[in-house]
Amino acid sequence: MKIINKKLSMKTRGSGDLINITEEISQILKTSNVKNGSVTIFHIGSTAAITTFEFEPGLIKDMQELYEKIVPSNKHYHHDDTWGDANGFSHVRAALQGPSLTVPFQDGGLLLGTWQQVILAEFDMRPRQRNIVVQIIGE
Ligand code: ZN
């Protein structure tokens, strides 16, 4: 069994930016030469998240509206008092959504549904350079 750690770096445009990274993960998996196992996609940092949904314009809007509804950006958060950086909502959204996703793969291909993509969700207020660990475990 092999354990391979790769890094994926992505530029984001700030809060509400949802980026489809499925192709990047597939490419990394291909170059690893591991055929069967599972891949963990883990975002390093506390104001962005990794998730999965159908990446299409309607659902992108639905997700952005959901984030705004359950964790409003125009409200005061206690975290804002700690550093004075006003991104309490970013941290709460990221914690709720979670930093990682594990996807099984077989014969070198991710076992995702046709309408199921791997998504990097940016919650911070400003554009960021994001670092994602792609850990491949298998044989
Ligand atoms: Zn903060």
Side-chain angles (χ1 to χ4, degrees), residues 49-132:
I50 303 290
T51 186
T52 175
F53 57 78
E54 180 182 347
F55 194 75
E56 60 87 13
L59 199 59
I60 290 169
K61 249 194 189 135
D62 288 332
M63 292 305 292
Q64 289 165 337
E65 286 175 10
L66 177 73
Y67 295 135
E68 191 57 41
K69 189 176 171 186
I70 57 177
V71 188
S73 56
N74 61 356
K75 172 186 171 298
H76 181 79
Y77 292 85
H78 302 291
H79 171 73
D80 301 338
D81 300 329
T82 308
W83 308 115
D85 59 1
N87 69 349
F89 75 97
S90 314
H91 289 275
V92 174
R93 288 180 190 185
L96 264 184
Q97 188 72 86
S100 72
L101 180 75
T102 301
V103 182
F105 58 92
Q106 192 173 39
D107 300 323
L110 295 168
L111 294 176
L112 288 167
T114 308
W115 312 114
Q116 183 180 33
Q117 283 76 43
V118 180
I119 311 297
L120 166 64
E122 178 61 78
F123 295 121
D124 216 338
M125 299 180 298
R126 59 188 172 85
R128 299 284 303 262
Q129 184 74 43
R130 293 307 193 178
N131 291 310
I132 298 158

